[in-house]
Amino acid sequence: MTHSEPLLEIHDLHAGIDGTPILKGVDLTVMPGEVHAIMGPNGSGKSTLAQVLAGREEYAVTGGTVRYRGEDLLEMEPEIRAREGVFLAFQYPVEIPGVSNTYFLKAALNAIRKHRGEKELDAVAFLNLIKAKMKLVKMDESLVKRTLNEGFSGGEKKRNEIFHMAVLEPRLAILDETDSGLDIDALRVVADGVNALRAPDRGFVVITHYQRLLEYIVPDVVHVLVDGRIVRSGGKELALELEAQGYGWAEDQSADALAAPGRERTTA
Amino acid sequence: MTTAPVDLKHTAPFVADWTALDGQLNGAQPGFVKALRRAGIERFQALGFPTPRQEAWRLTNVAPIAGTAFHRPAAAPAGIGPEDIRPYVYDGCARLVFLDGHFAPALSDMAGLPAGVTASSLADAIRAQPALVEAHLARHAGLDHPFVALNTAFVRDGAFVHVPRGTVVETPILVLFATTAAAAPTVTYPRLLVVAEAASQATVIEAYAGLAERAYLTCPVTEVVVGAGAVVDHYKVQKESVAAYHVATQQIHQDRDSTFDSHAVLTGGGLVRNDVRTVLDGEGGHCTLNGLYVVTGAQHVDNQMLVEHARPHCTSFELYKGILDGRSRSVFNGRIHVHPGAQKTDAVQANRNLILSAHAIAHSNPQLEIFADDVRCTHGSTVGELDDDAVFYLRSRGIGADAARSILTYAFASDIVDRIKVPAVRTDLAAFLFDRLPRGEVVREAV
């Protein structure tokens, strides 16, 4: 594996929904093995970025490029992105009554394996795999056997997302506010799961509203997203500054730093 | 009472056919059957075919039926063997098979039923146990429905199931009415009479099949009499040809503390109408009426439900779900009628429709008629499309777009599928859905 090639390269990404611009020029490069945290106030475009990367069609990309392992990510259908190794842990995982969590995961994993030219797993091999993954992310067997997210608590849904991630073994995992609404125990389970999956060839984009998560998942880089742009990037200490001083501080800093190019972009 | 114009042109061929049959029978039937037939044809003649001007037929136009010259097969066709009906029978069931309206003993198998239980052709029962048949036949399905009147006018054969007091029948009884290929459009008038005496229990599967894709009319009437404390599990599996007309009435009469659970699986037929009526006529009765219709192309399916709570402390539960594709149409009219004095009624009704195509239309109309003051009645109806969020969620895990939509469609139907207690019927429905849905092999793996 080569570590010199970026896993994800976002350049000047513009996107919006229903004609309203939300992302206004995002630049972000994630190398294999790195964990990037994206923080920002409500409405800054964090979830939009996650949805756009996963291929949600409701969002229109109006400019910029996204390359994933050298390929044009925006050209790929959502399922192709997943099969190529992009995983989105949803902020609000969908309840799907009537679909078994386990069987669904088997179908998903086999779709991914088939795409990669790997042999599909039979029932026994799959069962062994999920047992190991359940242990890895401390997932309760009763949740695994239930229907997909139906009647799960908020915390259980988030843990199930991490469980899916563990089974599907993505190359790039995007966690969209996976920590929101979790108590400290659930937060630890989620963080332990992510940490267990950290690997030299795997990258993470961890979107969060709170610094707290970053005590458990220690990022390599922290970015601050405000009004559709990354206004600051730094080490993990940046998260602490944000926590202490609020986003207003980062916003003010950005206004000075980015005023000129920002104006250029809007008039271009 | 609605008075609709009677078009003699349309009833005349049926009346002529009745006269021919009557002459042919020439007193072979007991007097009570002859009297029923006469009452039936007279009522049909008076009512005529219903028109869209009548409220109950507003959205289902039977003019194509009235305008077709049907031929009533005089005998069972030759050359139909077990292989021909295999797709429509279930393992582990006793079975009565009817071909083009005629009992086919060679294809039927009543072995394994407990002593005292009757499962036979209605013609045989009329000969062997006339008093028992007379006590129940046409006592429940009223002739004010033109198609009930028409069916009754041609009562000759059909199926009769009788479970004596306290007897439990473990083996499900399958009654299959199959229409075979014929040159001209054919008509059959299947009749099914189920009498479950007090504290008895039985499972009856009423199945309809079209062995060839051509136009014909099936006009069945089913009467189920559920005695005090008796339990009847009923299934209707309708797999008519998509070119066929199927206009059916199912009338249930429930005594105290009885349970009637029915599941309808409606996938066939071009023009389908089901009138399902239950009278809870004793305290403590319960009925479940579940159904799933899966239609596409130009299929039209109309379910007219009526649950009559005539006594206190009865419960009813109705869940009908529809999956509509192509240019298909569905009508659901769910009436719950609570009689004066039927206190502590607990009635739940829901109709949920999933629309897969921009050209399909589902009509849903719940109606509550409540004449008692201490009751709980709830109803809900929805018509919707697949949830985009859910489709995206599945795709984001690597499931293809078609497979994601199919998984969600299956999931929509799954609560009806899962409630089917006879494994063979449940598996058959699941297999149908896997077959019908795009990328069904992925669905099969995922659910």
Side-chain angles (χ1 to χ4, degrees):
Chain A
M1 101 197 64
T2 163
H3 281 211
S4 55
E5 189 191 25
L7 192 56
L8 181 70
E9 254 185 310
I10 303 175
H11 179 63
D12 194 25
L13 181 64
H14 287 66
I17 192 163
D18 299 332
T20 307
I22 301 172
L23 299 182
K24 301 167 184 171
V26 172
D27 292 288
L28 177 68
T29 300
V30 179
M31 299 300 286
E34 289 181 347
V35 174
H36 288 243
I38 296 181
M39 303 186 69
N42 288 332
S44 60
K46 300 190 300 295
S47 283
T48 298
L49 178 61
Q51 297 276 318
V52 167
L53 292 178
R56 183 77 199 230
E57 283 151 357
E58 279 78 351
Y59 292 91
V61 174
T62 51
T65 57
V66 179
R67 300 197 83 76
Y68 167 71
R69 301 176 79 225
E71 305 278 327
D72 184 352
L73 184 72
L74 301 176
E75 278 296 303
M76 300 178 198
E77 296 290 319
E79 59 270 29
I80 301 300
R81 300 180 196 204
R83 292 171 194 171
E84 288 286 332
V86 177
F87 179 89
L88 171 65
F90 278 52
Q91 183 178 6
Y92 303 110
V94 182
E95 292 195 21
I96 307 182
V99 175
S100 136
N101 200 13
T102 316
Y103 296 148
F104 163 68
L105 212 42
K106 180 165 174 272
L109 179 64
N110 279 337
I112 291 169
R113 290 181 67 95
K114 205 169 158 187
H115 178 78
R116 295 179 183 168
E118 295 164 4
K119 203 168 159 278
E120 293 182 40
L121 290 187
D122 63 22
V124 177
F126 179 73
L127 217 59
N128 289 335
L129 175 76
I130 64 163
K131 273 184 187 155
K133 299 298 184 182
M134 273 161 52
K135 209 172 280 174
L136 185 72
V137 299
K138 300 187 186 74
M139 187 77 180
D140 199 43
E141 192 170 354
S142 66
L143 290 187
V144 172
K145 288 194 169 159
R146 271 158 54 183
T147 56
L148 195 43
N149 292 324
E150 190 186 12
F152 284 27
S153 71
E156 286 170 342
K157 283 180 187 167
K158 300 297 179 77
R159 280 162 63 183
N160 197 37
E161 293 292 279
I162 300 302
F163 174 61
H164 280 198
M165 179 173 78
V167 172
L168 301 180
E169 297 185 312
R171 293 190 181 100
L172 172 67
I174 303 152
L175 278 64
D176 187 9
E177 300 209 23
T178 302
D179 54 327
S180 294
L182 296 189
D183 64 24
I184 194 69
D185 294 328
L187 186 70
R188 277 202 192 102
V189 170
V190 165
D192 289 351
V194 171
N195 288 329
L197 292 165
R198 286 179 83 152
D201 59 347
R202 182 172 292 143
F204 288 86
V205 174
V206 178
I207 292 168
T208 181
H209 195 68
Y210 306 101
Q211 182 270 338
R212 189 179 66 159
L213 177 69
L214 305 181
E215 288 173 21
Y216 298 94
I217 303 173
V218 180
D220 297 297
V221 192
V222 174
H223 307 276
V224 182
L225 187 71
V226 177
D227 192 26
R229 278 185 213 106
I230 289 177
V231 295
R232 283 199 67 182
S233 300
K236 58 178 187 275
E237 63 287 345
L238 179 56
L240 293 169
E241 282 182 58
L242 284 172
E243 184 81 352
Q245 307 191 38
Y247 289 111
W249 159 78
E251 232 163 315
D252 296 342
Q253 300 257 309
S254 74
D256 300 338
L258 294 175
R263 209 171 290 130
E264 255 175 39
R265 205 174 280 119
T266 47
T267 52
Chain B
M1 173 103 330
T2 330
T3 46
V6 177
D7 190 341
L8 284 175
K9 185 174 68 147
H10 290 151
T11 59
F14 292 87
V15 175
D17 189 31
W18 183 89
T19 308
L21 175 67
D22 196 52
Q24 184 195 335
L25 288 170
N26 193 24
Q29 290 179 321
F32 82 90
V33 182
K34 196 175 159 71
L36 281 177
R37 285 198 303 103
R38 179 167 295 282
I41 199 66
E42 283 171 0
R43 195 75 193 115
F44 174 69
Q45 225 175 338
L47 292 169
F49 280 104
T51 75
R53 283 188 294 274
Q54 289 162 263
E55 181 57 29
W57 297 88
R58 197 167 56 86
L59 296 166
T60 295
N61 186 355
V62 298
I65 296 175
T68 303
F70 292 105
H71 154 75
R72 184 173 46 80
I80 301 292
E83 285 310 313
D84 299 304
I85 58 162
R86 185 161 307 282
Y88 310 103
V89 301
Y90 300 110
D91 290 339
C93 296
R95 65 173 184 263
L96 291 167
V97 176
F98 297 81
L99 299 176
D100 295 339
H102 297 273
F103 183 49
L107 297 175
S108 302
D109 180 4
M110 285 294 120
L113 296 181
V117 173
T118 304
S120 73
S121 86
L122 185 61
D124 286 346
I126 289 170
R127 273 190 294 275
Q129 309 174 74
L132 182 60
V133 174
E134 186 176 3
H136 299 286
L137 185 66
R139 300 285 174 176
H140 302 286
L143 297 182
D144 284 338
H145 188 300
F147 287 90
V148 173
L150 187 59
N151 173 288
T152 306
F154 287 90
V155 167
R156 185 182 183 188
D157 207 352
F160 177 65
V161 175
H162 177 252
V163 186
R165 189 182 187 89
T167 303
V168 175
V169 186
E170 304 272 3
T171 309
I173 299 167
L174 169 69
V175 180
L176 172 64
F177 296 102
T179 297
T180 68
T186 55
V187 56
T188 61
Y189 304 99
R191 190 92 191 189
L192 171 58
L193 175 61
V194 178
V195 180
E197 303 277 7
S200 69
Q201 187 168 343
T203 298
V204 177
I205 304 162
E206 179 184 347
Y208 297 88
L211 303 192
E213 294 298 310
R214 60 171 66 241
Y216 60 86
L217 167 63
T218 308
C219 176
V221 170
T222 298
E223 289 173 291
V224 183
V225 185
V226 193
V231 177
V232 173
D233 277 318
H234 169 265
Y235 296 88
K236 172 166 175 170
V237 183
Q238 188 269 98
K239 296 185 188 178
E240 303 276 23
S241 148
V242 291
Y245 308 106
H246 179 95
V247 184
T249 295
Q250 182 182 311
Q251 180 74 56
I252 293 66
H253 185 267
Q254 295 187 240
D255 206 337
R256 64 177 302 143
D257 301 318
S258 66
T259 301
F260 178 77
D261 284 342
S262 179
H263 293 80
V265 178
L266 312 168
T267 58
L271 175 59
V272 175
R273 163 80 173 220
N274 296 300
D275 287 50
V276 178
R277 299 167 169 211
T278 298
V279 183
L280 288 153
D281 199 16
E283 290 192 18
H286 172 76
C287 82
T288 300
L289 302 174
N290 287 344
L292 176 69
Y293 42 93
V294 185
V295 284
T296 186
Q299 285 181 287
H300 175 108
V301 58
D302 178 352
N303 289 292
Q304 299 279 322
M305 318 296 295
L306 171 61
V307 175
E308 278 190 67
H309 282 263
R311 307 280 169 176
H313 295 285
C314 290
T315 55
S316 65
F317 179 90
E318 282 177 78
L319 175 61
Y320 261 63
K321 285 193 157 185
I323 299 172
L324 291 90
D325 205 343
R327 313 185 68 85
S328 62
R329 297 282 182 275
S330 74
V331 182
F332 178 90
N333 195 44
R335 267 170 78 199
I336 296 171
H337 186 98
V338 181
H339 288 244
Q343 304 296 9
K344 304 291 179 190
T345 286
D346 190 348
V348 179
Q349 180 197 85
N351 174 228
R352 314 252 174 250
N353 295 283
L354 175 60
I355 306 286
L356 298 178
S357 143
H359 306 291
I361 297 174
H363 301 274
S364 186
N365 181 32
Q367 282 175 275
L368 299 180
E369 299 160 354
I370 302 173
F371 299 97
D373 53 15
D374 186 12
V375 303
R376 196 182 72 135
C377 295
T378 60
H379 63 80
S381 82
T382 54
V383 178
E385 297 166 22
L386 287 174
D387 177 9
D388 287 340
D389 290 337
V391 173
F392 178 62
Y393 185 67
L394 298 190
R395 292 179 75 188
S396 82
R397 297 292 134 101
I399 302 286
D402 284 349
R405 280 190 272 274
S406 291
I407 286 172
L408 293 168
T409 304
Y410 184 89
F412 172 82
S414 67
D415 55 351
I416 299 290
V417 178
D418 294 345
R419 284 181 168 114
I420 294 176
K421 283 173 268 185
V422 178
V425 177
R426 192 172 59 237
T427 310
D428 182 42
L429 174 56
F432 167 83
L433 291 169
F434 297 146
D435 188 48
R436 166 69 64 90
L437 298 171
R439 304 303 308 274
E441 73 284 358
V442 181
V443 185
R444 192 187 292 269
E445 183 178 30
V447 295

